[in-house]
Amino acid sequence: MEANVNGTRLYYETIGRGTPMFIMHGGLGMDHTYFRPWLDALADGVTLVYYDHRANGRSERPASLDDVDHATWAADADALREHLGYDQIILFGHSYGGFLAQEYAIRYGGRLKGLVLSCTAPAMDYGEVILANAQARGTQEELDALGAMLSRPMADDAEMGEYLGAILPLYFNRRDPAVMEDIGGRGVYSAAAWNHAAANCMPVFNYLANLGDITAPTLVLSGADDYITPPAQGGERIHAAIPRSELVI
């Protein structure tokens, strides 16, 4: 389905019943499909609202992202909440979606019944750790693809998908080729969203001074083998800063 909100068109899907739980995908430049069917079982207890961020996936692709930042994407989510008629939601943010979920929680905390921050970080101020972790587990092909994504803009959506497919094994502790092929094959990619976020948003965001303002009950999920948002730089820092939070590694 589609919703015209906050000056853009957002693609979304809902399943389940109960308290609404909005799902913020990562990337940026990816879409919501990599969560499914893995999170669908939660629909037994909540209404899952999967959606693609502005300029991502099946949502509207604006001609320019010059005036788009984390505040814009958070405002989009809140406008979608209002459009769907929900007073309060649970918000689940994964990876880059976790950056946006932190932005939302800081700006719109009164709208939250709960917050889940999964495999994310409060700031990207540890590039050397990411590269060291990748080098410890990655093949040369994976490292070359990661280096390309971090050093230059993606030429188009097809190249974005190609490089994401190449680095996808870095995100798995136990690599299952069938699962990785399925996830990679279903995604709708956006080079423009990746390029804008990587060049203009990722280098400057830092929520460490603001996380103490989050009052919603918060579950922080951190993967012990996560190469890009490891516990020490990700979940542990978030948990230490949010008063009503629980950390699970």
Side-chain angles (χ1 to χ4, degrees):
M1 302 181 69
E2 295 181 348
N4 291 305
V5 296
N6 200 33
T8 194
R9 175 181 49 78
L10 297 182
Y11 178 89
Y12 71 95
E13 298 181 13
T14 64
I15 62 170
R17 65 181 67 182
T19 301
M21 182 172 180
F22 277 44
I23 309 297
M24 285 183 159
H25 69 78
L28 286 177
M30 301 176 71
D31 66 8
H32 75 279
T33 59
Y34 71 84
F35 290 117
R36 308 190 68 184
W38 320 109
L39 293 187
D40 285 359
L42 295 176
D44 290 342
V46 296
T47 298
L48 290 169
V49 181
Y50 296 107
Y51 78 99
D52 297 340
H53 301 296
R54 176 192 299 241
N56 289 257
R58 296 161 180 80
S59 290
E60 183 176 349
R61 307 284 184 95
S64 171
L65 291 173
D66 288 347
D67 59 348
V68 173
D69 57 14
H70 286 188
T72 311
W73 282 305
D76 288 346
D78 197 56
L80 181 60
R81 173 202 59 78
E82 185 175 10
H83 173 83
L84 294 176
Y86 300 130
D87 292 330
Q88 286 191 310
I89 62 173
I90 299 168
L91 184 60
F92 180 105
H94 171 254
S95 192
Y96 203 109
F99 306 164
L100 303 183
Q102 291 170 75
E103 179 85 24
Y104 186 99
I106 292 165
R107 290 180 175 271
Y108 307 104
R111 319 276 210 260
L112 292 179
K113 293 190 72 172
L115 177 65
V116 183
L117 299 173
S118 174
C119 298
T120 191
M124 292 299 284
D125 52 3
Y126 55 94
E128 70 288 349
V129 174
I130 295 172
L131 292 177
N133 289 341
Q135 290 166 354
R137 74 174 62 188
T139 66
Q140 190 59 52
E141 178 184 7
E142 292 160 6
L143 295 175
D144 289 345
L146 179 64
M149 292 190 72
L150 296 178
S151 63
R152 64 171 177 82
M154 295 290 95
D156 52 32
D157 295 351
E159 184 178 66
M160 176 78 184
E162 176 186 350
Y163 279 108
L164 277 173
I167 69 170
L168 191 57
L170 291 170
Y171 291 84
F172 284 78
N173 187 0
R174 294 182 295 277
R175 302 181 176 196
D176 185 327
V179 171
M180 289 187 286
E181 182 178 0
D182 178 52
I183 290 175
R186 287 186 282 120
V188 175
Y189 302 109
S190 171
W194 166 265
N195 292 340
H196 177 71
N200 301 300
C201 303
M202 201 181 307
V204 297
F205 90 92
N206 188 320
Y207 297 123
L208 286 168
N210 308 101
L211 292 180
D213 297 333
I214 295 176
T215 58
T218 302
L219 174 63
V220 184
L221 303 175
S222 192
D225 294 318
D226 185 344
Y227 88 98
I228 201 163
T229 57
Q233 289 75 28
E236 291 178 3
R237 290 201 291 177
I238 294 172
H239 171 56
I242 298 180
R244 298 178 65 193
S245 65
E246 176 186 356
L247 172 64
V248 177
I249 298 176

